[in-house]
Amino acid sequence: LLDRLPSSISGGERQRVSLGRALARRPAALLLDEPLANIDPALRDRLRAEIVSMGRRFGTTMIYVTHDHLDAFVVGTRVAVLEAGAVQQVDTPPNLYRNPANIFVAHFVGSKPMNLFRGALKQESSELQFVGDAIAGGAGSRQAFTPSPELGRTIAPWIGRKVVLGIRAEHLRVAPGSSNHRGSLSFICRVDSIEHTGADLYVKAIWDANRVSARMAENAQPAIGQELTLVADLEDARWFDAETGKAIANPCAS
């Protein structure tokens, strides 16, 4: 593009020229503010990889600002999540995804927001129950579960209090029948819609007052209106204080 005037190149080309000009100077530090925002998806993937490669090759420290979690996860070795100018969590991409510090991070990070269920923890004789918020004054669904000793100690102060249960779409699996799975949490849902994404499909289902998103293999064949029992292992569940929004189990770095 060297022989062309700025007025004769597209916005995306201008953006790429600016990026190339900044990198060609090999600065000690570089601030990139939404550098790939106006670039088509195929070229975006290529440039994203090129930025990472050049940063490593030149030893340049990069501060990369983006609204796209995929950009942040691919480019960043550490990621800071901000809301309204306040830092919510600073962590490595894997830990940020697995162990969000609060409800905002859980909902914001990921191609699909984490499923978040509001309810309360109850103790019934020797078992713990998660009681989902009720619909129109009715009784909320109860999910009995058996926590590990460590999890039991962590969530014990919240028994009798409002909590938010978080589960990623990929951690929900279809189980036969409607029996309760003692080492896990199960949700009897009705399929509301289906989204095909190529290698996977996402089922959107209704559980009480909640919409549930579950990832399935592309060859799965759920039907609209079908009743499913979705099950998640307790080790994949995340718990949050409903009042503060902060994580109360599986604590993460901040």
Side-chain angles (χ1 to χ4, degrees):
L1 302 174
L2 267 177
D3 298 327
R4 295 170 60 183
L5 294 173
S7 60
S8 67
I9 63 177
S10 69
E13 287 170 334
R14 293 183 198 183
Q15 196 160 352
R16 283 147 52 199
V17 166
S18 297
L19 182 60
R21 186 166 57 228
L23 289 168
R25 295 176 61 195
R26 300 195 181 186
L30 190 63
L31 172 62
L32 303 175
D33 188 0
E34 297 277 8
L36 308 181
N38 299 316
I39 297 173
D40 66 79
L43 186 56
R44 187 185 183 103
D45 284 346
R46 202 178 85 204
L47 279 178
R48 194 190 284 128
E50 196 67 27
I51 288 171
V52 173
S53 175
M54 285 189 287
R56 288 173 181 161
R57 196 160 69 242
F58 300 156
T60 302
T61 296
M62 294 187 184
I63 301 173
Y64 189 107
V65 183
T66 179
H67 288 87
D68 187 329
H69 89 280
L70 183 58
D71 276 0
F73 277 28
V74 171
V75 174
T77 53
R78 287 184 70 78
V79 178
V81 179
L82 290 87
E83 180 192 21
V87 175
Q88 302 297 313
Q89 185 175 355
V90 181
D91 218 323
T92 61
N95 205 47
L96 195 72
Y97 185 79
R98 288 195 299 263
N99 298 312
N102 54 41
I103 290 173
F104 176 81
V105 177
H107 191 266
F108 185 73
V109 171
S111 56
K112 296 289 183 183
M114 180 180 279
N115 293 299
L116 297 170
F117 308 116
R118 294 187 175 272
L121 283 173
K122 302 286 186 182
Q123 182 82 52
E124 295 291 339
S125 62
S126 62
E127 68 179 14
L128 276 175
Q129 293 185 348
F130 173 72
V131 183
D133 283 351
I135 307 174
S141 291
R142 293 173 176 264
Q143 308 297 325
F145 64 98
T146 305
S148 66
E150 182 182 359
L151 178 60
R153 287 190 296 269
T154 303
I155 63 178
W158 277 265
I159 294 174
R161 295 167 57 182
K162 289 286 187 179
V163 296
V164 176
L165 167 64
I167 301 173
R168 293 281 182 197
E170 64 269 25
H171 293 149
L172 286 163
R173 63 185 186 277
V174 178
S178 58
S179 59
N180 190 49
H181 299 257
R182 306 301 299 174
S184 57
L185 290 153
S186 61
F187 307 89
I188 301 175
C189 311
R190 191 166 299 279
V191 177
D192 184 58
S193 63
I194 300 169
E195 294 179 3
H196 292 269
T197 62
D200 301 303
L201 63 82
Y202 286 88
V203 168
K204 302 296 181 70
I206 305 296
W207 175 69
D208 281 358
N210 304 281
R211 293 185 65 84
V212 185
S213 178
R215 189 180 74 184
M216 298 183 183
E218 176 61 20
N219 59 2
Q221 296 182 333
I224 303 295
Q226 178 182 350
E227 189 176 89
L228 295 176
T229 299
L230 298 176
V231 178
D233 292 335
L234 278 172
E235 63 185 27
D236 294 322
R238 298 295 178 263
W239 302 87
F240 304 90
D241 185 332
E243 186 176 338
T244 66
K246 293 181 179 179
I248 60 176
N250 303 292
C252 55
S254 59

